[in-house]
Amino acid sequence: MTDTPAPGDPISHVPPDFLTPDDGKKWSEKHWLNVPGPFYTGLTDNCWTGRQSAPRHVLYGGEYYNEFVYRQPTTREEVECLLSAAEEDPLGGYACDGDSRWTPDAVRAWWNARGQVEEHVAALLGEWTAAEANSYEVEAAEGAREFLAYLAGDLRTDLRAYVFRLEQGRYPDSGDLLPDL
C-alpha cells in the first residue's frame, strides 16, 4: 500500500457499496465535532476503537464520547485507515456522503463556531491528562493535542479547499484562488 495523494477526491478510494446511502439518517445524527468534508460520523459506539485504526483522523467527544472525524483523509492509505475504523463500529455510524450534504455556508458556519469545538476538545484534553487517566485516555489526549494544533493551523486552509470543491466540483490545483471562510 502506498501513501500517494488521492487523485483530487478521497472518495475515489472507497470501494463501491462500502458505506451505503441511508437517506440522510446519519447526517441527521451527525456528531457536531466532525470537521466538514466527505467523511463524518452519525451515531457511533463509544468503545474507543476508532483511533486504533485511524489515529490521525478519529477522536472521541461529545456527551457520550462517541467517535468523530477530526481530520479528513487525503491519501489512499488514510482513507483505508478511516474505513477500517468504520468497519469496527458496530453501529455503522460512519458515512462518506458529506460532499452532497455540506454547503459552503454550512462549512463557514462550522468554522465560525470553532471556538466551541476548541473549548470542548481542550476540556477533554484536561480530563484525559489528569493524574488518574488510563492508557486509553492518555492515547486520546494525543489526538486532542493534534486536533487543537490542526484547528490553530492547517484546518483553515483545508476548509477553504473544501469550500472550493463544493463550489467548483473539484479540489483546487496549485495556483487556484481559494475562497474565504
Side-chain angles (χ1 to χ4, degrees):
M1 173 177 354
T2 63
D3 197 25
T4 58
D9 188 357
I11 295 300
S12 68
H13 299 303
V14 179
D17 300 326
F18 185 85
L19 297 173
T20 56
D22 65 351
D23 296 326
K25 183 174 183 342
K26 291 176 189 172
W27 183 257
S28 69
E29 299 171 339
K30 179 174 56 66
H31 198 298
W32 67 278
L33 292 165
N34 280 292
V35 166
F39 297 91
Y40 63 94
T41 61
L43 182 62
T44 66
D45 71 357
N46 56 2
C47 298
W48 290 33
T49 58
R51 287 188 55 77
Q52 294 172 10
S53 298
R56 292 196 68 239
H57 304 281
V58 175
L59 194 55
Y60 319 113
E63 183 178 0
Y64 301 108
Y65 300 92
N66 301 89
E67 297 176 8
F68 66 93
V69 177
Y70 80 90
R71 183 189 328 257
Q72 294 291 322
T74 59
T75 66
R76 177 182 302 276
E77 181 180 66
E78 290 174 346
V79 169
E80 288 171 354
C81 289
L82 194 60
L83 295 180
S84 179
E87 284 181 312
E88 294 296 321
D89 178 40
L91 300 180
Y94 281 74
C96 64
D97 63 350
D99 288 353
S100 65
R101 308 253 179 221
W102 285 102
T103 64
D105 286 343
V107 172
R108 289 179 176 105
W110 188 95
W111 177 251
N112 289 333
R114 71 189 177 282
Q116 294 171 315
V117 173
E118 183 176 18
E119 182 179 307
H120 183 77
V121 175
L124 291 173
L125 179 59
E127 178 182 331
W128 294 336
T129 55
E132 65 275 358
N134 63 44
S135 62
Y136 293 103
E137 292 171 326
V138 170
E139 195 284 324
E142 181 61 29
R145 283 186 203 93
E146 289 176 10
F147 188 21
L148 290 171
Y150 186 46
L151 273 167
D154 293 338
L155 179 55
R156 181 175 186 274
T157 300
D158 289 352
L159 289 180
R160 291 177 68 204
Y162 188 59
V163 169
F164 182 97
R165 173 179 174 59
L166 294 174
E167 292 176 341
Q168 304 297 322
R170 63 176 176 83
Y171 283 99
D173 294 322
S174 63
D176 282 333
L177 183 61
L178 297 179
D180 289 328
L181 287 181

